Amino acid sequence: MSASGGTKAIVAALGANLAIAVAKFVAFLFSGSSSMLAESVHSLADSGNQGLLLLGGKRAQREATPQHPFGYGRERYIYAFLVSIVLFSVGGMFALYEGYEKIKNPHDIEHWYWPVGVLVFAIIAESFSFRTAIKESNTLRGSLSWKEFIRRAKAPELPVVLLEDFGALVGLVLALGGVGLALATGNGVWDGVGTLCIGALLILIAIVLAAETKSLLLGEAAGTEEVKKIEKAIVDGDTVTRIIHMRTLHLGPEELLVAAKIAVQHDDTAREIADAINAAETRIREAVPIARVIYLEPDIYREDAAG
């Protein structure tokens, strides 16, 4: 996985979530809090998700084969989509079930200091993980807002980790609120209400992740800035006079396909056209290094057929 894949952020999140999952489960055993059980399953699901992201990054590095001539770069999108499914089913739906059961059959929280202490520890650990994800993302985000970065990023790992860590922090606050209200009022129903809120939050994040990774799986074009650079690189004003039409497609986060029909002079020789195409490909790769697969088709421009 390339550096832009956010490997450091994934590993930081994996380590934090594994430690937090164990601590939350121990707190659940001592306290009987459904919020703690939901949060321990949430952290366990997040740990599995980070494992999926690392596996997807590893498998995407495989060399192209005759059966898959464009390589396996888009496999990273498949594993990111699986993350949204795991987050929805294992995290969100389980929390909703646990919350419903706790509201239906409430019981007091025992040994309150266990869940409270673990939740405070988890908030601190998740904050460090979230800080790492933010730091890694800022190197790629540029002037984009966080919403724009999550929607436009072609590498799925950092948006996934960002949303997971953000959801984890909000979920921990909800769990702490549910446990706190249950202790203050002596009514275990509040613990169930906090668990329901955690489930709703996880399902919302899963839906956002699924929508974004679905778009990547379907195939997204290059960004606006990259398209402008490619268009500028193709036309030399001599042999290549204009672009008749062009398509771009991400074969993976760091691999772009460029296909264009270009206009050449009607009296150019085959050698001149071939040299012009080779030069244009070189300029494209210099302008946009991830443009690794390029197909340029020469033609004579006719305004009536340009559409």
Side-chain angles (χ1 to χ4, degrees), residues 147-212:
K147 180 180 178 181
E148 290 173 332
F149 173 70
I150 290 172
R151 296 195 64 181
R152 297 184 186 181
K154 305 304 180 184
E157 291 84 2
L158 281 174
V160 168
V161 173
L162 278 169
L163 287 173
E164 278 191 349
D165 284 351
F166 174 76
L169 282 171
V170 176
L172 288 167
V173 173
L174 291 173
L176 190 59
V179 170
L181 286 171
L183 292 172
T185 63
N187 189 348
V189 168
W190 287 109
D191 188 27
V193 171
T195 307
L196 284 178
C197 292
I198 293 169
L201 172 69
L202 294 180
I203 289 175
L204 178 62
I205 292 175
I207 291 172
V208 172
L209 284 177
E212 294 304 317

Side-chain angles (χ1 to χ4, degrees), residues 1 9 33 63 72 75 82 98 103 109 111 114 129-130 135 165 260-261 265:
M1 186 186 303
S33 167
E63 297 292 332
Y72 294 86
E75 194 153 0
L82 290 176
E98 276 298 313
I103 292 174
I109 295 177
H111 306 294
W114 273 100
S129 175
F130 193 38
K135 186 177 179 181
D165 284 351
K261 180 173 283 192
Q265 302 288 359

Side-chain angles (χ1 to χ4, degrees), residues 230-244 258-265 268-286 291-300:
I230 293 170
E231 291 175 342
K232 184 178 180 181
I234 289 177
V235 179
D236 62 7
D238 183 16
T239 303
V240 182
T241 58
R242 67 166 63 203
I243 298 171
I244 299 174
V258 178
K261 180 173 283 192
I262 57 177
V264 297
Q265 302 288 359
D268 287 333
T269 65
R271 172 58 66 85
E272 290 172 334
I273 293 173
D275 290 343
I277 289 175
N278 290 335
E281 290 178 354
T282 300
R283 293 193 301 270
I284 292 170
R285 291 189 173 96
E286 290 175 350
R292 300 177 185 175
V293 182
I294 303 172
Y295 298 107
L296 300 180
E297 178 187 353
D299 201 350
I300 304 299

Side-chain angles (χ1 to χ4, degrees), residues 28 31-34 98 101-110 182 186-189 191:
F28 159 71
S31 67
S33 167
S34 68
E98 276 298 313
E101 285 294 319
K102 187 58 180 281
I103 292 174
K104 187 178 178 181
N105 302 296
H107 58 80
D108 294 337
I109 295 177
E110 302 174 357
N187 189 348
V189 168
D191 188 27

